[in-house]
Amino acid sequence: MKRLLPPLLVLMCLAAMGVLRVSAPGVMLIEGPAAWAGAVPILAGLAFLVAGSGTFRRRGTNIKTFNEPDVLVTDGLFRWTRNPMYLGFVLLLLGAAILLGSATAFGPVLLFWLVANSWYIPFEERALRLKFGDDYATYAGATPRWI
């Protein structure tokens, strides 16, 4: 299961959203021009992803979920959320669901959030606690997991 990296799960969720929109749209929650409001969270999500990964690159730490952390990153967006890239993925998926407008399109958004919150993030938090001990505990105590 360690091969199911977050970007791959996001792509799978986006594909599922498209399939669901076509094959089982359910109730249309958002239609017409209002659906274009989905562009806002998509752009915000992309900004979080670019900024978060850029901070990792500048700090010289790996970005892969299941690799050992190299550096405890607490600057940039990481000052306000411990997981800006996961937040970016959720915003991107939420925006896509708004664009699609169907009730079923929101299911994969929830699925990604559940997987991130119950599997990816706890895995990373354990690794950070093991490697950085009290420094990570202090950071985690002062900075929310999401927002």
Side-chain angles (χ1 to χ4, degrees), residues 4-139:
L4 184 58
L5 294 174
L8 178 58
L9 182 57
V10 167
L11 291 175
M12 292 168 65
C13 286
L14 287 169
M17 292 163 80
V19 168
L20 288 168
R21 171 63 172 85
V22 171
S23 64
V27 175
M28 290 302 294
L29 300 174
I30 305 165
E31 295 183 280
W36 287 103
V40 173
I42 288 173
L43 292 173
L46 290 171
F48 273 66
L49 289 164
V50 168
S53 61
T55 301
F56 268 36
R57 248 188 322 279
R58 283 189 301 283
R59 296 295 308 277
T61 191
N62 82 73
I63 197 168
K64 292 188 179 174
T65 299
F66 300 108
N67 290 357
E68 182 179 341
D70 303 308
V71 175
L72 178 59
V73 178
T74 61
D75 56 322
L77 291 176
F78 293 88
R79 287 179 289 195
W80 296 288
T81 173
R82 295 193 317 259
N83 297 287
M85 290 175 280
Y86 288 115
L87 183 56
F89 283 136
V90 169
L91 288 169
L92 182 127
L93 289 169
L94 180 62
I98 292 168
L99 276 173
L100 292 170
S102 69
T104 57
F106 288 88
V109 181
L110 179 59
L111 173 69
F112 180 85
W113 180 85
L114 286 170
V115 170
N117 202 53
S118 63
W119 183 39
Y120 292 138
I121 294 172
F123 182 92
E124 292 177 4
E125 287 176 339
R126 277 189 299 277
L128 290 163
R129 263 193 313 276
L130 285 172
K131 179 131 187 187
F132 303 108
D134 289 342
D135 288 340
Y136 178 72
T138 299
Y139 170 65

